[in-house]
């Protein structure tokens, strides 16, 4: 029957969704394909991405990121205004992430961590502690920064700190966005330019099915509204689940597209949360964690692919539901024999383009200020040689060719997890066979990522385990499968060597200047031309021990006066004040200035003039 089919748009939509997620699987299987062979391209790209996360952006259309796990981030400056006498106060609102986040553990101004007078808490104003020499004005005994964090709840109110300005009203709530409201007091010695702001953020709270008592046999009514089922998580599976369902910056996929009890998501999440001991004597860590900043300016499907790659998982759309499976050890769900396999079997081994004798993984290292770092397998020991000459042995087996793969995993922040990922990539690339078969309807029970046993006399397979990497339904109701050899040993975490500690770099704080060592005051009578005699106050400055001091500023006044007057400034250590008054008391002070224009605290000395009296 001809004419318009009312189900055709729906069927087309479903086909598009299936095609999209087939692409995801194919791209995930392609995680063993390195970046283009351009010198340092991979490292440079990863490093640029890491630095970009830390930058303060000043743009009216910058995309708001999503922070999952724990990361150091900059943010989008969405409000900037000055106020007060001579514009002495600077007000700033800087958005860090979509909310609700779990916490902010540290705040950095101009790359210096701020010590606060209280805990960094939601909707609570805090000031700089008096012990913080960088941002506390000891001369005037006042904090130079006031901060009011907002963790991004949908019900949050406008900032009381910014509301002192007429331009920030009660309607400026930034609901659903985690941000910092900050007030700076101008101080030429502390702020040479517009301050840069970074924060270490414990990211967005996500739905965790393990915390939901309704997931087993219940209606699941708590999955959206009950805050007890939402918590901070560094689990990549639960982060992916959140991103797929996120209606603000994610993919807005309804709950009806997931199994009512999220059973497969729980199983996959438990694989990532499995405890492993990275090296002898170490505390246990998770098998896989994710600490990532999602770039919401990218296509949503590309962000999904990043989660899939970083958790070595498979995301399937089957029977109208999204299902997840993490590649790990396991057993076959079915066995295919010659009775099920049609038209024979094609067996191939890995070619050199997907075979490696060295794998390097880029990850984000918190111990290096959250910059890009690398881990590799085989690892390199302190002598610079690959551990146990594994690399040399494999290279020899490969005809002396260096077969190196480089991969970016920006969600990894552990060198041990990064090295484990590198090892799995290398082991799989060297040891697995690929097969292509056409099977009867028995294979309809399989999904991409499943393990299947294959028994076939021609290649001598007897219940040999393979993992399904591609699946095509044919018009004749047969199923074409592309599979790679599965071995449980690929996924056994190998005990690693403890990562060498990084020596601390000790550099002087450019905003902390050592004051002059001393001030010595004397006075004497001196005779000028025509017999004029006056009293001179001699000022001798003790040199500062700070090697970056460029000059000194010397000021003096009568003790009865209010304001100091500059007597001189320069690199000299001896100054003089002429024609001082006998029997009067003078206050003299001096401070040191460094090459950045930062000033030290002042030292003061007092002298009663006795020149003519004596």
């Amino acid at each position: 029957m001809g004419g318009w089919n009312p189900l055709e748009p729906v069927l087309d939509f479903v086909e598009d969704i299936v095609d999209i997620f087939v692409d995801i699987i194919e791209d995930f299987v392609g995680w063993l394909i390195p970046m283009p062979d351009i010198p340092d391209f991979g490292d440079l790209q990863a490093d640029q991405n890491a630095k970009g996360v830390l930058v303060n952006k000043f743009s009216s259309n910058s995309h708001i990121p999503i922070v999952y796990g724990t990361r150091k981030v900059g943010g989008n400056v969405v409000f900037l205004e000055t106020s007060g006498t001579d514009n002495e106060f600077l007000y700033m609102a800087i958005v860090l992430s979509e909310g609700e986040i779990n916490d902010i553990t540290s705040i950095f101004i101009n790359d210096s961590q701020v010590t606060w007078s209280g805990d960094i808490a939601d909707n609570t104003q805090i000031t700089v502690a008096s012990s913080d020499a960088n941002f506390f004005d000891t001369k005037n005994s006042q904090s130079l920064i006031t901060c009011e964090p907002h963790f991004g709840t949908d019900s949050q109110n406008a900032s009381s700190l910014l509301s002192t300005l007429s331009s920030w009203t009660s309607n400026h709530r930034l609901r659903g966005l985690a941000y910092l409201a900050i007030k700076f007091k101008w101080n030429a010695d502390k702020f040479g330019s517009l301050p840069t702001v970074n924060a270490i953020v414990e990211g967005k709270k996500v739905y965790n099915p393990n915390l939901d008592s309704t997931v087993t046999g219940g209606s699941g009514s708590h999955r959206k509204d009950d805050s007890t089922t939402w918590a901070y998580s560094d689990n990549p599976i639960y982060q992916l689940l959140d991103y797929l369902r996120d209606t603000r910056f994610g993919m807005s996929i309804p709950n009806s597209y997931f199994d009512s009890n999220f059973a497969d998501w729980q199983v996959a999440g438990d694989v990532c949360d499995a405890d492993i001991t990275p090296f002898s004597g170490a505390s246990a860590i998770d098998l896989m964690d994710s600490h990532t900043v999602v770039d919401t300016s990218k296509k949503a499907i590309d962000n999904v692919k990043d989660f899939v790659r970083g958790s070595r998982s498979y995301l399937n759309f089957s029977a109208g539901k999204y299902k997840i499976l993490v590649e790990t050890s396991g057993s076959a769900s079915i066995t295919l024999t010659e009775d099920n396999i049609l038209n024979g079997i094609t067996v191939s081994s890995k070619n050199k383009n997907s075979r490696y004798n060295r794998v390097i993984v880029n990850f984000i290292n918190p111990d290096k200020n959250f910059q890009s770092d690398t881990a590799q397998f085989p690892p390199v020991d302190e002598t610079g040689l690959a551990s146990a000459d594994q690399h040399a042995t494999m290279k020899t087996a490969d005809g002396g060719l260096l077969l190196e793969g480089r991969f970016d995993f920006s969600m990894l922040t552990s060198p041990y997890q990064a090295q484990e990922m590198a090892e799995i990539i290398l082991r799989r690339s060297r040891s697995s066979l690929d097969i292509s078969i056409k099977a009867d309807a028995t294979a309809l029970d399989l999904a991409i990522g499943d393990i299947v046993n294959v028994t076939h006399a021609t290649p001598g397979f007897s219940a040999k385990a393979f993992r399904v990497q591609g699946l095509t339904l044919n018009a004749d109701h047969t199923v074409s499968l592309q599979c790679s050899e599965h071995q449980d040993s690929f996924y056994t975490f190998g005990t690693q060597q403890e990562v060498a500690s990084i020596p601390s770099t000790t550099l002087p704080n450019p905003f902390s200047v050592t004051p002059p060592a001393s001030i010595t005051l004397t006075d004497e009578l001196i005779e000028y031309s025509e017999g004029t005699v006056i009293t001179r106050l001699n000022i001798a400055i003790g040199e500062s021990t700070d090697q970056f001091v460029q000059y000194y500023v010397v000021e003096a006044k009568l003790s009865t006066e209010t304001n100091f007057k500059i007597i001189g400034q320069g690199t000299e250590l001896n100054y003089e004040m002429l024609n001082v008054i006998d029997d009067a008391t003078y206050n003299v002070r001096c401070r040191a200035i460094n090459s950045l224009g930062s000033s030290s605290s002042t030292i003061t000395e007092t002298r009663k003039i006795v020149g003519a009296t004596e």
Side-chain angles (χ1 to χ4, degrees):
M1 179 178 177
W4 174 68
N5 181 359
L7 293 179
E8 185 173 355
V10 177
L11 295 174
D12 289 343
F13 171 76
V14 172
E15 289 175 359
D16 290 343
I17 292 294
V18 172
D19 288 342
I20 285 173
F21 283 97
V22 166
D23 286 343
I24 291 176
I25 303 308
E26 291 175 351
D27 284 343
F28 173 74
V29 174
W31 67 335
L32 300 183
I33 300 174
M35 293 184 175
D37 189 15
I38 301 174
D40 295 329
F41 178 83
D43 292 341
L44 179 61
Q45 184 68 37
D47 193 50
Q48 287 177 339
N49 291 339
K51 290 179 178 177
V53 169
L54 300 173
V55 170
N56 289 172
K57 303 174 183 66
F58 295 83
S59 174
S60 60
N61 61 351
S62 292
H63 289 76
I64 305 300
I66 310 174
V67 178
Y68 288 113
T70 300
R71 285 290 294 271
K72 185 178 183 181
V73 297
N76 297 331
V77 179
V78 298
F79 179 79
L80 202 63
E81 186 172 312
T82 59
S83 178
T85 304
D86 297 326
N87 295 318
E88 65 176 327
F89 297 111
L90 174 69
Y91 291 84
M92 176 187 292
I94 180 167
V95 175
L96 305 172
S97 168
E98 182 192 359
E100 176 188 4
I101 63 171
N102 188 59
D103 197 8
I104 297 173
T105 59
S106 301
I107 298 174
F108 298 79
I109 306 295
N110 295 336
D111 293 327
S112 295
Q113 184 174 348
V114 183
T115 302
W116 299 103
S117 57
D119 182 46
I120 304 174
D122 185 27
N123 196 30
T124 302
Q125 290 189 24
I126 50 177
T127 57
V128 178
S130 59
S131 59
D132 191 326
N134 293 324
F135 304 112
F136 190 87
D137 184 354
T138 55
K139 182 169 62 177
N140 298 306
S141 298
Q142 61 181 200
S143 166
L144 298 177
I145 307 173
T146 304
C147 182
E148 184 183 84
H150 291 265
F151 289 180
T153 63
D154 287 342
S155 60
Q156 69 186 8
N157 293 319
S159 164
S160 59
L161 179 63
L162 300 180
S163 293
T164 58
L165 304 169
S166 60
S167 55
W168 193 273
T169 71
S170 59
N171 294 324
H172 293 87
R173 298 169 63 180
L174 300 185
R175 288 178 289 180
L177 298 178
Y179 72 100
L180 297 175
I182 309 178
K183 174 185 175 183
F184 298 94
K185 186 181 187 304
W186 170 251
N187 185 299
D189 298 331
K190 306 297 183 181
F191 305 112
S193 60
L194 192 68
T196 59
V197 180
N198 298 103
I200 295 182
V201 176
E202 290 184 359
K204 187 185 176 191
K205 293 181 178 180
V206 302
Y207 169 72
N208 185 339
N210 285 325
L211 301 178
D212 194 343
S213 60
T214 67
V215 296
T216 303
S219 64
S221 60
H222 291 249
R223 289 192 194 104
K224 259 313 199 187
D225 305 319
D226 190 346
S227 61
T228 61
T229 65
W230 291 73
Y232 168 82
S233 176
D234 57 14
N235 189 304
I237 300 301
Y238 302 148
Q239 293 172 2
L240 173 58
L241 178 61
D242 179 82
Y243 184 73
L244 293 175
R245 301 166 67 212
D246 186 357
T247 57
R248 184 177 285 119
F249 295 135
M251 296 190 71
S252 303
I253 297 176
N255 287 341
S256 58
Y257 283 87
F258 300 88
D259 284 338
S260 60
N261 61 2
F262 293 94
D264 53 318
W265 293 85
Q266 286 182 288
V267 170
D270 289 343
V271 172
C272 296
D273 281 338
D275 287 342
I276 52 97
T277 303
F279 57 90
S280 179
S283 300
I285 63 173
D286 292 336
L287 179 65
M288 284 184 283
D289 288 330
S290 169
H291 301 275
T292 187
V293 180
V294 175
D295 183 356
T296 55
S297 67
K298 292 171 57 177
K299 291 181 180 179
I301 197 66
D302 290 334
N303 288 325
V304 171
K305 291 176 183 179
D306 287 341
F307 278 111
V308 169
R309 290 177 66 251
S311 57
R312 62 171 199 254
S313 59
Y314 299 83
L315 183 61
N316 288 309
F317 185 78
S318 175
K321 305 292 183 182
Y322 292 102
K323 298 180 180 295
I324 193 76
L325 182 150
V326 174
E327 184 174 301
T328 186
S329 58
S331 56
S333 55
I334 64 171
T335 297
L336 297 178
T337 67
E338 293 181 57
D339 294 335
N340 312 111
I341 298 174
L342 313 174
N343 300 331
I345 183 171
T346 302
V347 181
S348 61
S349 60
K350 302 291 185 185
N351 60 46
K352 74 173 186 177
N353 292 328
S354 55
R355 176 184 175 95
Y356 308 109
N357 48 49
R358 176 190 291 155
V359 172
I360 298 174
V361 166
N362 293 318
F363 70 102
I364 303 300
N365 193 339
D367 293 332
K368 295 185 178 179
N369 194 31
F370 288 86
Q371 299 291 339
S372 179
D373 199 1
T374 59
Q376 72 176 50
F377 188 85
V380 176
D381 61 25
E382 293 179 355
T383 65
L385 300 175
S387 177
D389 287 330
Q390 294 180 74
H391 170 62
T393 300
M394 289 185 287
K395 186 176 177 181
T396 299
D398 295 330
L401 295 175
L402 172 62
L403 304 178
E404 183 176 274
R406 288 177 174 264
F407 306 87
D408 282 339
F409 290 92
S410 59
M411 62 177 50
L412 298 180
T413 60
S414 166
Y416 306 106
Q417 293 173 345
Q419 184 177 318
E420 166 73 359
M421 190 70 77
E423 182 174 358
I424 290 176
I425 293 173
L426 185 141
R427 296 299 187 201
R428 289 178 84 257
S429 77
R430 299 189 65 83
S431 303
S432 61
L433 295 173
D434 294 336
I435 63 170
S436 296
I437 58 176
K438 181 184 286 188
D440 61 16
T442 305
L444 289 173
D445 292 333
L446 294 172
I448 294 177
D450 282 347
I451 299 174
V452 56
N453 282 338
V454 176
T455 297
H456 199 287
T458 301
F461 293 162
S462 177
K464 187 171 182 61
F466 289 86
R467 190 179 293 274
V468 179
Q469 306 284 11
L471 185 153
T472 303
L473 303 181
N474 301 314
D476 59 357
H477 304 292
T478 60
V479 181
S480 295
L481 299 175
Q482 294 78 46
C483 306
S484 291
E485 181 182 353
H486 168 81
Q487 294 184 27
D488 279 351
S489 60
F490 292 160
Y491 311 100
T492 300
F493 190 95
T495 302
Q496 304 173 11
Q497 295 295 317
E498 182 177 4
V499 174
S501 60
I502 302 172
S504 298
T505 301
T506 303
L507 294 173
N509 185 337
F511 300 105
S512 178
V513 183
T514 304
S518 63
I519 298 177
T520 302
L521 303 179
T522 60
D523 63 87
E524 60 181 334
L525 294 175
I526 60 171
E527 182 178 358
Y528 271 71
S529 60
E530 300 179 356
T532 302
V533 177
I534 63 173
T535 305
R536 179 176 65 190
L537 177 61
N538 299 313
I539 306 168
I541 304 301
E543 187 176 9
S544 170
T545 57
D546 194 322
Q547 299 298 314
F548 293 91
V549 167
Q550 279 203 332
Y551 64 94
Y552 302 93
V553 176
V554 180
E555 301 170 310
K557 71 176 182 67
L558 280 166
S559 61
T560 56
E561 294 177 333
T562 302
N563 298 319
F564 281 87
K565 302 178 182 66
I566 294 179
I567 301 303
Q569 62 181 32
T571 59
E572 298 295 327
L573 297 177
N574 293 293
Y575 299 84
E576 56 187 35
M577 185 177 183
L578 299 177
N579 208 21
V580 292
I581 303 170
D582 282 319
D583 289 327
T585 300
Y586 284 83
N587 303 130
V588 180
R589 69 183 186 185
C590 179
R591 68 182 188 275
I593 312 296
N594 72 4
S595 55
L596 294 180
S598 297
S599 173
S600 73
S601 60
T602 58
I603 61 171
T604 305
E605 190 61 64
T606 300
R607 172 78 177 182
K608 183 176 181 180
I609 305 303
V610 296
T613 305
E614 287 187 346

